[in-house]
Amino acid sequence: MPICGRRLLSGVMIPLVTPMSAPGTPCAAAAAGLLRGLAAAGAHSLMLFGSNGEGPLLPVSALAEFAEQVAKRWRELTGGPVLCNVTAAGTAEALGRAAAVAPARPDALVLSPPIYFRHRDDEIAAHYEALAGLGIPVVAYNAPRYSNPLGPALIDRLAAMPHVIGVKDSSGDLDLLGHIVSAARRRPDFGVSQGAETQLLAALRLGADGIVPGIANLAPRPAVELVAAHEAGRDADAEDAQRVLDRLLALHSVRPGVPAIKAVLDDRGLCPPHVAAPLLPCTEAERRDLIALLENDEAHLLPRR
């Protein structure tokens, strides 16, 4: 049966951080406690090797074993889907990354437009068309902070490709998201998810099927509650959950990005602090500030091991 993008992208997808045994060395065993905590909190699915997963910083040779073992464990815990991001600067590398993660049997590949160079729309479309023969559905990932943007015309073009079954939008542009939702509704199997963390509830109200918040690596329960409250029509509870997540995002004012998330997870015994070069882990001063900042929100974080 063909995979339904709406079902695949529904609920809370965790853009998983990549636990490492040493800087730049993914380690599935080091992810065990984190995966258990995320599953217990009600997360629906995982995306591996996205921006929170440091994917573009990892060589192709580092992807296969981690993807296969983490996907196996997640399916044992939840039965839920696992997606693998294969974003790269060029089409050949994207195809190489897709081949590397194929043994993990990803439910879909996630692909941004090419990074580094600026490209024409026809070149970006060809980049996506190149994955059509792999036999794995593709979710287009609009992350203009890191790659060429997907505008309305390209969205329409991608939505007409049978192997592209959805869009994950992290642009923060609600007008564009509205266009994506409209384009998606021309296909019953085409899903839409939102990764702009301050606009999760706004996206669901516009018709997005699910959310992909990086902060849910630390605090999955408020994200799960946000979706559940929205679906149940409990607007005040959904707004409360969005406010909790907004407050937790202040950790990026201490240290932006993945090193901050990993430092807090390390303090909780859930993930080593190692990151992939040229990223550097948080300093001891940053760790102290992060822990102090989140002290009043302890109840919203994953339990310590």
Side-chain angles (χ1 to χ4, degrees):
M1 178 181 297
I3 290 178
C4 175
R6 295 196 69 177
R7 192 177 308 116
L8 185 70
L9 298 183
S10 67
V12 177
M13 180 183 296
I14 306 295
L16 190 71
V17 297
T18 302
M20 299 176 183
S21 59
T25 305
C27 178
L34 178 57
L35 294 176
R36 285 196 299 271
L38 295 171
H44 170 67
S45 55
L46 297 181
M47 181 179 74
L48 307 183
F49 309 131
S51 54
N52 284 277
E54 303 167 75
L57 298 180
L58 297 171
V60 174
S61 60
L63 305 181
E65 183 177 359
F66 181 85
E68 193 166 5
Q69 292 183 12
V70 167
K72 180 176 184 292
R73 184 56 179 146
W74 184 252
R75 288 164 179 149
E76 290 171 348
L77 288 167
T78 71
V82 177
L83 290 73
C84 292
N85 182 35
V86 295
T87 293
T91 303
E93 185 181 350
L95 289 168
R97 287 176 174 266
V101 301
R105 297 181 295 107
D107 295 271
L109 301 173
V110 180
L111 182 67
S112 291
I115 59 178
Y116 190 78
F117 289 108
R118 308 314 293 178
H119 290 280
R120 303 182 325 196
D121 282 6
D122 58 345
E123 293 172 329
I124 295 171
H127 188 64
Y128 281 93
E129 287 166 348
L131 275 66
L134 299 182
I136 307 173
V138 172
V139 173
Y141 180 9
N142 187 37
R145 181 179 175 185
Y146 303 117
S147 65
N148 287 262
L150 291 175
L154 262 173
I155 294 294
D156 292 344
R157 194 163 176 176
L158 294 178
M161 296 181 185
H163 70 291
V164 178
I165 62 167
V167 173
K168 174 187 182 291
D169 179 49
S170 295
S171 69
D173 182 341
L174 291 179
D175 288 337
L176 178 64
L177 184 66
H179 179 89
I180 294 170
V181 170
S182 295
R185 295 306 170 252
R186 294 194 288 268
R187 276 178 58 182
D189 65 331
F190 200 92
V192 180
S193 64
Q194 164 73 307
E197 292 168 296
T198 61
Q199 295 175 338
L200 301 171
L201 180 55
L204 292 174
R205 286 172 170 167
L206 276 175
D209 299 295
I211 58 175
V212 195
I215 196 68
N217 279 282
L218 289 176
R221 291 192 187 280
V224 171
E225 167 61 10
L226 189 155
V227 173
H230 168 72
E231 291 178 347
R234 295 186 283 111
D235 291 344
D237 291 339
E239 289 167 1
D240 284 344
Q242 179 70 71
R243 280 192 287 270
V244 169
L245 294 170
D246 289 347
R247 190 167 63 244
L248 294 173
L249 289 170
L251 64 84
H252 294 301
S253 68
V254 175
R255 173 69 185 273
V258 179
I261 299 288
K262 283 190 168 180
V264 179
L265 286 173
D266 181 48
D267 179 67
R268 308 186 77 74
L270 294 168
C271 176
H274 307 303
V275 289
L279 290 175
L280 293 172
C282 288
T283 66
E284 284 304 313
E286 288 169 337
R287 285 174 65 102
R288 287 195 298 271
D289 289 346
L290 287 166
I291 293 163
L293 177 69
L294 298 176
E295 185 175 9
N296 292 332
D297 282 304
E298 174 72 24
H300 299 300
L301 305 181
L302 281 174
R304 296 176 182 275
R305 286 187 67 192

